[in-house]
């Protein structure tokens, strides 16, 4: 099963807010980048709950780029990947926020160590990632083996099957191992 866990983190966002408040023009641009990329990562509709039981609100920023920007429609099947664009500026702002906190503390090494411990604890306990990750052996699919044995060059168009579950739709099969 494919897990989507594009979780920036409450602690990182909190430190980013500190960095934004203590910063200047550059930090405001970074904050704007975080907001824009988080909005784009929600896709064409913004949902309040993960199960999507409450109707979503249209996302005008995503819909505008989808209609105007060439090839932006290719992001529709995996909009969560756009959250990576928010993680870098959020991390920079968080580092600036941590730096601002360290400047006002008598023992900066303890504050840095404490922040690191809190980030690790949040990632392992609070984040939506399914820790520990389940592992399984990847065995080549018979179709992949047969295609590899064909002579000459070629290409494969990969269209995974989508399966409906009580939690929603998901890609089915071992396609992600291939």
């Amino acid at each position: 099963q494919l897990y989507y866990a594009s979780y920036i983190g409450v602690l990182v966002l909190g430190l980013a807010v500190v960095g934004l408040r203590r910063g200047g023009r550059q930090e405001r641009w970074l904050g704007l980048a975080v907001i824009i990329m988080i909005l784009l990562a929600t896709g064409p509709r913004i949902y309040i709950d993960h199960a999507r039981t409450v109707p979503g609100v249209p996302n005008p920023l995503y819909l505008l780029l989808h209609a105007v920007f060439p090839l932006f429609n290719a992001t529709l099947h995996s909009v969560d990947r756009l959250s990576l664009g928010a993680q870098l500026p959020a991390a920079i702002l968080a580092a600036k926020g941590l730096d601002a906190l360290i400047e006002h503390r008598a023992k900066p090494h303890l504050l840095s160590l404490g922040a690191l411990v809190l980030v690790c604890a949040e990632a392992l306990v609070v984040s939506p990632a399914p820790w520990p990750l389940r592992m399984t052996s990847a065995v080549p699919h018979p179709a992949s083996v047969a295609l590899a044995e064909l002579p000459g060059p070629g290409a494969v168009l990969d269209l995974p099957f989508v399966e409906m579950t009580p939690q929603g739709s998901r890609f089915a099969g071992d396609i992600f191992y291939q």
Side-chain angles (χ1 to χ4, degrees):
Q1 183 171 353
L2 177 65
Y3 288 100
Y4 291 105
S6 55
Y7 177 73
I8 294 176
V10 175
L11 187 61
V12 169
L13 288 176
L15 286 171
V17 168
V18 173
L20 187 61
R21 292 192 63 173
R22 302 271 173 104
R25 186 171 189 222
Q26 181 183 22
E27 286 76 14
R28 286 193 296 275
W29 280 109
L30 288 169
L32 182 63
V34 171
I35 291 168
I36 288 172
M37 293 311 294
I38 286 175
L39 276 174
L40 289 176
T42 62
R45 299 188 71 76
I46 300 171
Y47 293 95
I48 296 172
D49 63 336
H50 183 67
R52 297 181 177 182
T53 55
V54 178
V57 178
N59 183 348
L61 179 61
Y62 184 90
L63 293 172
L64 174 69
L65 286 177
H66 188 273
V68 175
F69 195 81
L71 299 178
F72 191 78
N73 60 349
T75 66
L76 188 59
H77 75 285
S78 57
V79 293
D80 61 306
R81 294 177 186 171
L82 294 172
S83 69
L84 291 175
Q87 291 174 5
L88 178 61
I92 293 169
L93 282 171
K96 289 179 178 266
L98 182 60
D99 188 50
L101 291 176
I102 288 172
E103 285 180 11
H104 292 87
R105 299 287 187 250
K107 298 179 182 177
H109 297 317
L110 287 177
L111 185 61
S112 299
L113 181 63
L116 179 64
V117 168
L118 285 174
V119 166
C120 291
E122 180 182 18
L124 293 173
V125 178
V126 179
S127 81
W131 302 107
L133 293 175
R134 289 182 249 165
M135 303 296 286
T136 186
S137 300
V139 182
H141 193 277
S144 299
V145 173
L147 286 171
E149 292 173 353
L150 291 175
V156 176
L157 179 60
D158 191 8
L159 299 173
F161 292 100
V162 175
E163 165 180 89
M164 294 304 292
T165 67
Q167 294 80 25
S169 63
R170 70 178 183 108
F171 290 118
D174 60 354
I175 193 165
F176 294 107
Y177 293 132
Q178 308 301 324

